[in-house]
Amino acid sequence: MLTTRPRGTSDILPGQVEKWQYLEQVIRRLCREYGYSEIRTPIFEHTELFERGVGETTDIVEKEMYTFRDRGDRSITLRPEGTAPAVRAYLESRLFAGPQPVKLYYIGPMFRYDRPQAGRYRQFHQFGVEVFGSHDPAVDAEVVAMAMDLYSRLGLSDLELHINSVGCPRCRPVLREKLQDFFRSRLDKLCPNCRDRLGRNPLRILDCKEKSCIQASEDAPTSLDYLCPECTSHFQAVLKYLEELGVAYTVDRRLVRGLDYYTHTAFEIMAPGIGAQNSIGGGGRYNGLVEACGGPAIPGIGYALGLERILLTMEQQGISFPRPPGLDVFLATADPAAQGQAMVLVQELRREGLAADRDYLGRSLKAQMKYAGKLEVGLVAILGSDELKRGVVALRDMATGSQEEIPLDRLGDEIKRRCAGIK
RNA sequence: GUGGAUGUAGCUCAGUUGGUUAGAGCACCAGGUUGUGGCCCUGGGGGUCGUGGGUUCGAGUCCCAUCUUCCACCCCA
């Protein structure tokens, strides 16, 4: 137990963490180019925020939250998603009083008490964006295009973008009723889960993966059949913009975001080949959420992408990551007399902005060379008492094996010169 | 939360019908004569056989429980 991490968590170790850093770097650049500012919210919040903000009837709230009482007897929950905290911060800091729209992004760990499997963990990471303050369907399109842009920047291909409109508070009740009418007559064909859903959230039946339910809902009315004129024109505009942006999509009338405050656009991106948990991102418009959280009636839209699943897909598609830079130079000492001088020299090189390191295990020169070879350092500077006397070091190019004496005062510049040539 | 599989050195695995000090390859460390890596050779360290019970004269091998990971379901990222 002492040496075992909690279930569904993972250590991101050297060798792997560079991939994360690369991914994060691409994300941050993307966000800057799209005009988004980062927001960092707490990793835990008051439980009510998620109960209200995510929805009491969702699986997340009903069975997946990490909730506990703190020492002040407050109910605290490790954040299971990023939208509700962003809304909370937007309201708490009155960002709606500043210039609109407010475009935010976040990146960090989320927590859900699920049963782990490939691509699903109890602590996982999401990158997400939220835009507050605009109804413009162009924002819907931009947000979708931005997500797709990230995937393509990472080199991912063969992704499926599904998009739908789930209506608004005006047309959804109509659809709800139509769906309830439709399914009431074929209750016997629905799975127990969906029978339960009929009363609470009939839209979700369309989303059920149970064979019988898929069959039963084949001719069921979908949101697109009962959209109000405003919703229809909004959705048509989003699709038109996507076409203009060259983003390929599939209208999926079964795609549902089950929460009450979700409105209009809903979308999801799937990656084939990474297992059953193949959704690598999803989002939609939530024009009712800010108000539901006690704020003014301000529209919003956003998405969240799963970082583990993106990395999984990249690996599955054989995408190579840029090689992280290692040391510029390794300083090897040829005899113990040079130790003190080596320490000072390495420190000087670092001050000059070079990545430099040396041996700390009292190894023989041979062993130090071997070690440097394993680290794949391009240059090794060798310092012995002979060199020390003459104020030079032997600088060895590890790729070619050629070696040259460099005066100590020129060493930094010489290394920089050679590294520049390689880079 | 439900069902199925898995678990032997850091990694990939072997381990005969239960029977002596549990092995290999790779990795790690050290040597292969005087201050020099990548190949090769030699040697070394490292395993409470996931954990806890049980059966047995004897268990890595059989039984039970538990944990982990994996796969699927539910659902999502």
Side-chain angles (χ1 to χ4, degrees), chain A residues 189-191 209-217:
Chain A
K189 295 193 175 98
L190 296 179
C191 70
K209 274 92 190 167
E210 207 70 44
K211 267 199 201 102
S212 56
C213 296
I214 293 175
Q215 273 175 13
S217 64

Side-chain angles (χ1 to χ4, degrees), chain A residues 52 87 90-92 94 96 288-298:
Chain A
R52 295 273 302 281
V87 169
Y90 176 80
L91 291 174
E92 182 166 354
R94 307 200 156 262
F96 53 81
L289 179 57
V290 174
E291 198 172 11
C293 289
I298 289 171

Side-chain angles (χ1 to χ4, degrees), chain A residues 312-365:
Chain A
L312 216 60
T313 311
M314 289 176 74
E315 264 151 45
Q316 192 259 331
Q317 296 194 1
I319 292 166
S320 59
F321 292 78
R323 196 168 162 278
L327 290 177
D328 296 316
V329 62
F330 185 86
L331 183 66
T333 45
D335 61 78
Q339 282 297 336
Q341 191 56 237
M343 182 172 77
V344 174
L345 184 52
V346 164
Q347 200 68 352
E348 278 170 12
L349 291 171
R350 289 168 178 163
R351 263 199 291 271
E352 287 188 55
L354 289 164
D357 211 351
R358 65 189 186 98
D359 172 62
Y360 302 103
L361 297 181
R363 279 192 262 233
S364 67
L365 178 58

